[in-house]
Amino acid sequence: MDQEGVVTVEIYRPSPYIPGGGGSAGPRAGVPRANGAEIVDDVGAWRPLGLTFMWSLQGALNEPDRYRQNLEWAAAHGFDFKRPLYEVAWNPPLTINPGPAKPNLPTFPDHLGAVARDLDLSWSLGLRSGITLSGKGTGYDLERLASDVGGVIAAGRADRVLCVEMQNEYTNGGDPVEVLERMARAIRPKIPNMLGLSYYSPPAGLTNEERDRDLRQWIERTRAVGGILFIVHTERAGDADHGCRDARQDWDLKNGNPLIGVDWEGPGPGSSGAVQNRPIILAMKRAIGIMCRAPIFVLHTGTGVYGDGNPSSSGAPRPPNFWEIENIEAIVSAIRGVVALVPAGVENWQQANTQWQAPNPVAPFQPHHHWEGDAQVDDKGKRNDGVNKAYAALGPDGRVVQMPLGVRESVRLTASYPLRDVTVYDPIALAPVPGFEGLAFPAGGVLELPGGPWSDPTVSYIIHGAR
């Protein structure tokens, strides 16, 4: 700390972890942008994998060595970007107050300088930043915040930023959406980066027609201010349907079309409320999201919120460092690896639900039964086995992909039309399931896949084929 109280964080030597930035996709360059529902930069298309890192500025200020170690861990584990907060009224020392709007909150030292150093340090280690400008509560002029941070980005850092969100969960004690719109209009002329307002959360109690109208209004609000992102915080359903409910919610990300879906703050290890730490569920959640126009995925963990080691309000463990999270190596391996099984360009394909009929897109296979809960029979008197969900996508060149999620005991999949080159993949092993490679089916042909026991029906697959 110098004599004027300004904290300086050293920009360390170039990192061995992909100095050009890019995490799991290798060295990257250029400003991230949209190609339909895909994300591209100067290197090409990829699916950005992020990590909640809300304590970035506080970590750099108060514990720079530990903060750097956590950044290096993220880069070494293939994350493409981190998600920091740049304003929030948490209790000291976690407050990030850009200015003295509320005298009882300490002003963060050299706030914009800290933002600049954080973007630079992360980039030097191979990480872009997916910024959330406001976490709420300081009373600071948020339009000014957006303009000022935009100036920091515009000063040669646009390639270091994946995207910018105006406010975290604005409906949870935040500002009116009109404030978010003014923020977006303040930052939009300064930077070329992708923008979103906040997470989309429709009011409770709406009819289906009202919900559809509310969604369309949100999409138009976003587009009107130059935004392109449909940001979603999926419900943290925990063990509902043995975790399958957590994964299947990413189907709804397609509803933001023509915006690009972002799975921004879903359930994860140590998340508030219910947690999710099953590698297969998180892997399938990411895969389904990509298939449903959402190439951006953030692994949300309790560790990424405060970084102080204290448990969540519900008592879930939140170790201070990412590498101390239970089962984190298996989780990261699963969510990184599953991308290899999701066909290139699938973000721009047609999505298809099972039991849809023409003129809607028709899924390649129809399961014999969709299960929910653990009752031996469902409400129609049918045995409660089969598959939890089996969403699909259809490519313009005839390729198809389908993702049976949560197979209980077994599932019989009936071909909706003739299919060829059908191969069933294990999403964790990333290899074809023995005996299920290069198959062909006539319309009405049956593919039977084994599943998990009644008590743990989380066995899932990714099927490739062609019409």
Side-chain angles (χ1 to χ4, degrees):
M1 181 177 293
D2 65 22
Q3 294 181 349
E4 296 182 1
V6 175
V7 174
T8 300
V9 179
E10 178 185 358
I11 303 302
Y12 291 80
R13 66 194 180 280
S15 171
Y17 305 120
I18 316 173
S24 61
R28 309 203 67 88
V31 178
R33 52 198 182 272
N35 176 29
E38 289 185 286
I39 303 298
V40 302
D41 60 11
D42 290 357
V43 177
W46 92 113
R47 284 80 180 250
L49 176 61
L51 186 66
T52 297
F53 222 134
M54 295 178 174
W55 56 281
S56 288
L57 289 194
Q58 304 99 321
L61 173 66
N62 298 313
E63 299 180 87
D65 290 340
R66 184 171 74 89
Y67 176 53
R68 178 187 170 86
Q69 290 170 353
N70 278 271
L71 285 176
E72 289 183 329
W73 179 91
H77 283 73
F79 287 91
D80 298 286
F81 71 99
K82 71 178 197 314
R83 181 195 172 207
L85 277 179
Y86 286 161
E87 176 267 357
V88 66
W90 287 336
N91 292 329
L94 296 174
T95 302
I96 308 175
N97 182 20
K102 289 187 176 180
N104 60 315
L105 290 179
T107 299
F108 196 91
D110 188 26
H111 177 259
L112 293 179
V115 169
R117 291 189 293 272
D118 184 56
L119 295 177
D120 293 344
L121 174 59
S122 299
W123 180 247
S124 77
L125 299 174
L127 297 169
R128 285 184 168 115
S129 295
I131 298 167
T132 296
L133 287 172
S134 169
K136 307 178 294 259
T138 67
Y140 189 73
D141 183 341
L142 296 182
E143 191 173 345
R144 175 182 174 183
L145 173 68
S147 178
D148 288 348
V149 172
V152 172
I153 296 170
R157 297 183 178 88
D159 58 345
R160 305 174 187 196
V161 173
L162 176 71
C163 58
V164 181
E165 176 191 33
M166 300 305 111
Q167 189 169 85
N168 180 53
E169 295 188 345
Y170 84 105
T171 61
N172 184 17
D175 292 276
V177 68
E178 290 80 9
V179 173
L180 278 58
E181 291 172 322
R182 291 198 294 271
M183 293 172 70
R185 290 191 179 101
I187 197 173
R188 174 75 290 164
K190 295 191 172 187
I191 64 172
N193 303 89
M194 298 179 291
L195 301 184
L197 292 174
S198 185
Y199 85 133
Y200 174 66
S201 178
L206 298 183
T207 65
N208 288 340
E209 182 179 350
E210 290 169 337
R211 286 176 66 91
D212 184 67
R213 186 183 310 119
D214 186 78
L215 173 62
R216 293 301 124 192
Q217 290 173 347
W218 181 262
I219 291 170
E220 289 311 310
R221 280 183 181 273
T222 302
R223 298 180 73 189
V225 296
I228 197 171
L229 300 179
F230 181 60
I231 298 170
V232 173
H233 294 189
T234 59
E235 174 192 355
R236 295 169 194 169
D239 207 42
D241 283 354
H242 301 272
C244 292
R245 182 177 173 85
D246 277 341
R248 73 187 190 220
Q249 291 178 71
D250 275 41
W251 167 255
D252 293 331
L253 282 157
K254 68 183 184 350
N255 295 337
N257 189 357
L259 303 180
I260 297 174
V262 182
D263 188 341
W264 201 232
E265 194 179 308
S271 54
S272 57
V275 304
Q276 184 53 255
N277 52 23
R278 296 182 180 183
I280 183 61
I281 296 298
L282 291 169
M284 292 301 293
K285 188 176 197 298
R286 188 182 186 201
I288 291 169
I290 293 171
M291 185 173 66
C292 293
R293 296 182 55 86
I296 301 173
F297 180 91
V298 176
L299 176 62
H300 180 65
T301 74
T303 294
V305 181
Y306 303 126
D308 59 3
N310 293 323
S312 73
S313 57
S314 58
R318 289 180 166 180
N321 302 303
F322 291 110
W323 57 84
E324 297 168 332
I325 298 172
E326 185 177 1
N327 208 31
I328 190 63
E329 294 292 334
I331 290 170
V332 174
S333 177
I335 61 174
R336 281 186 63 191
V338 74
V339 174
L341 299 182
V342 183
V346 74
E347 295 91 332
N348 291 319
W349 293 9
Q350 284 186 312
Q351 294 81 35
N353 205 339
T354 50
Q355 299 181 340
W356 279 4
Q357 297 179 355
N360 291 321
V362 177
F365 289 101
Q366 304 295 335
H368 79 272
H369 187 255
H370 298 85
W371 65 266
E372 290 189 24
D374 285 332
Q376 292 295 310
V377 295
D378 67 12
D379 56 3
K380 296 182 177 62
K382 294 184 177 180
R383 182 171 172 77
N384 206 20
D385 60 354
V387 67
N388 190 259
K389 294 293 180 182
Y391 302 125
L394 314 177
D397 59 357
R399 286 182 295 157
V400 299
V401 62
Q402 191 157 6
M403 300 185 181
L405 167 70
V407 179
R408 171 177 276 158
E409 294 194 337
S410 67
V411 62
R412 296 184 301 280
L413 299 168
T414 300
S416 301
Y417 33 75
L419 293 165
R420 57 184 172 81
D421 302 328
V422 173
T423 296
V424 181
Y425 291 91
D426 181 326
I428 299 297
L430 306 180
V433 178
F436 294 90
E437 305 170 58
L439 305 177
F441 296 88
V446 176
L447 168 64
E448 184 165 357
L449 295 175
W454 208 270
S455 59
D456 186 22
T458 57
V459 170
S460 302
Y461 301 98
I462 295 180
I463 302 172
H464 290 199
R467 291 175 282 177

